[in-house]
């Protein structure tokens, strides 16, 4: 109101009219004075130097004083400011600024006549004449004590809420209707590894940490809560900052003010990882128990069956409903009932019994061997209240153990047979006059049907034989032993290789026919002095001859029927010349028919490659090279067939022979 009075005064001064003679002015002034005096807020008029020249009734009532006590005094020396020197000095400086034309406003305090402290929204409005000079200052004070008290109460409540929220164990948050993070409690770092500032900086982070497999679930939950604006909860996984997976129980609800205005969503995250792990563990244990092939049976301490898994049903043939509530002696032969009572007495004393072997009876009456483990189940006070029994059917194991003993005896006998068979093979010398040698015979099982031998009939001549009886049984071994005996008896210089095979075939035919077996055999006679080699074949693999001078391989082929098919058959005999450095290899099909993992055969080609690679070495190194290739080719798997080899190398000179 004083502002309007000043404006009116300026207008009248501008028109150079006498204010006292202007009836309209007097009426307006009187009206404005009434409004000024009756205004609800504290109002007054000051000279530019701060002298108080007028105040309204509200101001007087606030101090309970008279006009003479304040009019004409500096405003800062009036009772409104007497309670605080700091406020007096603050007012004095504010009046000085207002006198310079500045509008001033600040909050301060006044003391009422009854000693009550009130909060005032105070302002100083400068009034200027037409030249811009400040002629009056209008002070105005509005009592804001109630508003201030409400704000203080609200701040105190907010502080209390903040203290509670900041110290909650769970992660609390508040999102605005637009999804902006209004508040995030510090416990978020404990739950997810990120500090509250990270969520304030990136509102999307609160959903980005949701496990990828659960994001659709959480998206549906968020949509439902926002649309329906009702309480919602869900369990899902988050990815902790350290990369680990955490389980969360999430509750959120919409927030409204007193007028029903939607203020956003308040949410809470609880870390339930341990609970989920315990639940998963219990579920896994239950699944293990239920799916176990072992019988897992729960009983009271008196022996009454209380639980029965599928393994028990499979072993004993009883359904769960047939045994629950019945005594465990239902499964026990009469002669073993006392044994059960003794075991239960031990369980009552808290003993744990492992792998107790006994006999039980199935529903069909069959007796089975069982290995039982008994465990006492105790209550919180440590008292034994039940028994857990895990039982395994070991009937087949018992049978297998008996069979194993029989097999051990058989294997021992086979080992003896192997030792005997190996003793029949001649000791292979590394060198003979004019020739270097290496030999081997490796049965695929304990005993086999492969065989090699050599005979020094006269100086400068050596006979060599390699043979293979079909099969890998003891019978094959016996027939090979018989063939060896026949050969040793019939070998003479007077019988050529072909004639010798005719004699052996006739002598062995009947025994081979009865055993339904055959023998393949290759016989060679090497005349070192004359550098000739004669040979005959009874259905055996063709040996190979490596000619050093030409660097080529020659197969020694000759027609001849396998032994045991027919009597009185002839065998083709051939001759070939050899030279110093030539290499002769006799072998059984266990070498060339060895298979790789893909089923490919080793073959004659790889055999020749191994010989050529080591052609400058002693036959034993050549043989080692062959076996190395075989091992790589087959992947080091065991031999599926017997292997026998003779490698002979014609010596080149005495000096070279000594170097070998």
């Amino acid at each position: 109101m004083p502002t309007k009075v000043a404006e009116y005064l300026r207008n009248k001064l501008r028109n150079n009219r006498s204010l006292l003679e202007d009836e309209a002015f007097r009426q307006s002034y009187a009206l404005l004075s009434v409004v000024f005096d009756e205004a609800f807020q504290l109002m007054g008029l000051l000279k530019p130097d701060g002298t108080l020249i007028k105040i309204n009734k509200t101001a007087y009532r606030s101090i309970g004083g008279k006009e003479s006590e304040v009019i004409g005094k500096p405003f800062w020396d009036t009772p409104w400011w007497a309670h605080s020197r700091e406020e007096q000095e603050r007012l004095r400086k504010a009046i000085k600024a207002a006198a310079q034309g500045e509008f001033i406003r600040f909050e301060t305090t006044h003391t009422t006549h009854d000693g009550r402290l009130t909060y005032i929204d105070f302002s100083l409005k400068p009034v200027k004449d037409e030249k811009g000079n400040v002629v009056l200052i209008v002070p105005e004070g509005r009592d804001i004590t109630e508003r201030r008290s409400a704000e203080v109460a609200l701040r105190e409540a907010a502080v209390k809420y903040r203290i509670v929220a900041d110290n909650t164990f769970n992660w609390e948050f508040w999102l605005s209707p637009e999804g902006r993070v209004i508040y995030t409690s510090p416990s978020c770092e404990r739950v997810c590894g990120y500090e509250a500032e990270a969520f304030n900086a990136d509102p999307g982070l609160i959903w980005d940490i949701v496990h990828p497999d659960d994001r659709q679930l959480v998206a549906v939950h968020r949509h439902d809560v926002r649309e329906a604006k009702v309480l919602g909860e869900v369990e899902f996984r988050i990815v902790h900052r350290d990369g680990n997976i955490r389980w969360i129980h999430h509750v959120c609800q919409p927030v409204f003010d007193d007028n029903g205005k939607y203020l956003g969503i308040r949410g809470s995250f609880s870390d339930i990882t341990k609970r989920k792990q315990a639940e998963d563990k219990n579920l896994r244990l239950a699944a293990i128990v239920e799916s176990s092939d072992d019988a897992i049976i729960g009983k009271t301490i008196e022996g009454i069956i209380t639980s029965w898994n599928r393994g028990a049903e499979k072993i004993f043939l009883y359904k769960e409903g047939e045994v629950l509530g019945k005594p465990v002696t239902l499964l026990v032969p009469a002669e073993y009932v006392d044994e059960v009572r003794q075991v239960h007495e031990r369980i009552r004393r808290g003993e744990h019994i492992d792998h107790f072997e006994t006999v039980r009876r199935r529903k069909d009456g069959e007796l089975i061997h069982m290995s039982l483990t008994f465990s006492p189940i105790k209550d919180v006070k440590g008292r034994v209240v039940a028994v857990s029994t895990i039982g395994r059917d070991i009937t087949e194991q018992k049978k297998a153990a008996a069979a194993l003993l029989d097999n051990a005896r058989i294997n021992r006998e086979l080992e003896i047979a192997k030792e005997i068979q190996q003793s029949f093979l001649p000791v292979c010398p590394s060198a003979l006059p004019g020739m270097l040698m290496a030999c081997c015979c490796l049965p695929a099982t304990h005993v086999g049907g492969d065989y090699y031998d050599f005979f020094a009939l006269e100086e400068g001549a050596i006979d060599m034989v390699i043979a293979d009886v079909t099969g890998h049984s003891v019978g094959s071994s016996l027939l090979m032993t018989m063939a060896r005996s026949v050969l040793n008896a019939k070998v003479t210089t007077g019988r050529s290789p072909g004639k010798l095979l005719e004699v052996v075939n006739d002598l062995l035919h009947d025994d081979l026919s009865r055993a339904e077996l055959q023998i393949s055999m290759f016989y060679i006679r090497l005349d070192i002095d004359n550098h000739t080699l004669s040979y005959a074949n009874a259905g055996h693999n063709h040996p190979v001859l490596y000619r050093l001078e030409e660097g080529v391989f020659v197969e020694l082929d000759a027609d001849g029927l396998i032994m045991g098919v027919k009597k009185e058959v002839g065998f083709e005999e051939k001759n070939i010349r050899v030279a110093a450095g030539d290499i002769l290899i006799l072998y059984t099909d266990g070498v060339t028919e060895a298979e790789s993992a893909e089923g490919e055969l080793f073959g004659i080609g790889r055999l020749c490659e191994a010989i050529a690679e080591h052609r400058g070495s002693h036959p034993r190194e050549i043989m080692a090279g062959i076996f190395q290739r075989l091992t790589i080719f087959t992947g080091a798997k065991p031999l599926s067939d017997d292997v026998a080899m003779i490698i002979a190398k014609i010596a080149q000179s005495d000096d070279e022979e000594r170097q070998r």
Side-chain angles (χ1 to χ4, degrees), residues 47-65:
K47 293 181 178 180
D49 63 0
T51 302
L52 182 63
I53 59 176
K54 188 171 181 60
I55 59 172
N56 68 351
K57 292 179 181 180
T58 302
Y60 280 124
R61 284 195 295 269
S62 69
I63 60 172

Side-chain angles (χ1 to χ4, degrees), residues 348-390:
R348 282 191 179 92
R349 295 194 295 269
E351 290 188 41
H352 181 92
I353 303 173
D354 280 325
H355 309 304
F356 182 83
E357 293 191 8
T358 185
V359 176
R360 292 292 180 262
R361 188 188 304 278
R362 303 198 313 174
K363 183 179 180 179
D364 60 6
E366 181 183 348
L367 296 180
I368 56 176
H369 291 274
M370 298 286 294
S371 174
L372 304 177
T373 295
F374 300 90
S375 301
I377 299 175
K378 301 179 181 180
D379 62 14
V380 293
K381 296 182 179 180
R383 296 174 299 189
V384 178
V385 295
V387 183
S388 172
T389 303
I390 301 176

Side-chain angles (χ1 to χ4, degrees), residues 571-587:
F571 294 90
E572 182 183 11
E573 187 173 312
K574 289 186 176 182
N575 296 281
I576 190 171
R577 291 192 63 77
V578 294
D582 289 354
I583 303 171
L584 174 66
I585 303 94
L586 291 82
Y587 61 92

Side-chain angles (χ1 to χ4, degrees), residues 181 184 188 192-206 241:
V181 177
T184 303
C188 64
C192 71
Y194 294 92
E195 298 177 351
E197 289 74 12
F199 296 97
N200 296 332
D202 181 6
L205 179 61
I206 199 168
R241 191 174 188 176

Side-chain angles (χ1 to χ4, degrees), residues 526-590:
L526 176 61
D527 187 337
I528 297 173
D529 293 338
N530 296 316
H531 298 284
T532 58
L533 186 150
S534 58
Y535 56 90
N537 185 18
H540 195 76
N541 307 84
H542 297 166
V544 291
L545 176 67
Y546 175 73
R547 292 193 178 278
L548 178 64
E549 185 174 347
E550 296 90 349
V552 297
F553 285 90
V554 178
E555 278 195 42
L556 305 184
D557 59 333
D559 293 334
L561 194 64
I562 193 170
M563 292 184 179
V565 176
K566 185 178 179 181
K567 278 188 175 183
E568 298 180 356
V569 294
F571 294 90
E572 182 183 11
E573 187 173 312
K574 289 186 176 182
N575 296 281
I576 190 171
R577 291 192 63 77
V578 294
D582 289 354
I583 303 171
L584 174 66
I585 303 94
L586 291 82
Y587 61 92
T588 58
D589 57 9

Side-chain angles (χ1 to χ4, degrees), residues 409-579:
R409 287 193 292 270
I410 294 171
N411 286 336
R412 179 54 188 155
E413 291 172 358
L414 289 174
E415 285 293 335
I416 294 171
K418 178 180 179 181
E419 292 172 6
I420 294 172
Q421 184 183 21
Q422 290 294 315
S423 69
F424 289 157
L425 296 174
V427 177
C428 186
S430 61
L432 289 172
M435 183 174 64
L436 307 176
M437 288 187 67
C439 316
C440 77
C441 185
L442 303 175
T445 56
H446 287 87
V447 291
D450 283 10
Y451 162 69
Y452 75 86
D453 210 341
F454 54 88
F455 311 97
L457 301 179
E458 60 185 25
E459 187 175 350
I462 292 232
D463 282 13
M464 290 175 280
V465 62
I466 194 161
D468 183 2
V469 178
T470 55
H472 315 293
S473 64
V474 174
S476 300
S477 173
L478 291 174
L479 280 172
M480 185 51 70
T481 302
M482 184 185 300
R484 173 186 176 277
S485 300
V486 171
L487 273 171
N488 275 272
K490 299 301 179 180
V491 171
T492 64
T493 55
R495 286 196 179 95
S496 66
K499 294 297 182 182
L500 182 61
L501 292 185
E502 290 179 17
V503 172
V504 172
N505 177 59
D506 291 343
L507 291 173
L508 294 178
H509 177 270
D510 293 343
D511 291 330
L512 289 171
S513 297
R514 285 192 293 270
E516 297 182 348
L517 295 173
Q518 289 87 37
I519 297 178
S520 68
M521 186 178 293
F522 202 98
Y523 199 95
I524 288 178
R525 179 165 294 163
L526 176 61
D527 187 337
I528 297 173
D529 293 338
N530 296 316
H531 298 284
T532 58
L533 186 150
S534 58
Y535 56 90
N537 185 18
H540 195 76
N541 307 84
H542 297 166
V544 291
L545 176 67
Y546 175 73
R547 292 193 178 278
L548 178 64
E549 185 174 347
E550 296 90 349
V552 297
F553 285 90
V554 178
E555 278 195 42
L556 305 184
D557 59 333
D559 293 334
L561 194 64
I562 193 170
M563 292 184 179
V565 176
K566 185 178 179 181
K567 278 188 175 183
E568 298 180 356
V569 294
F571 294 90
E572 182 183 11
E573 187 173 312
K574 289 186 176 182
N575 296 281
I576 190 171
R577 291 192 63 77
V578 294

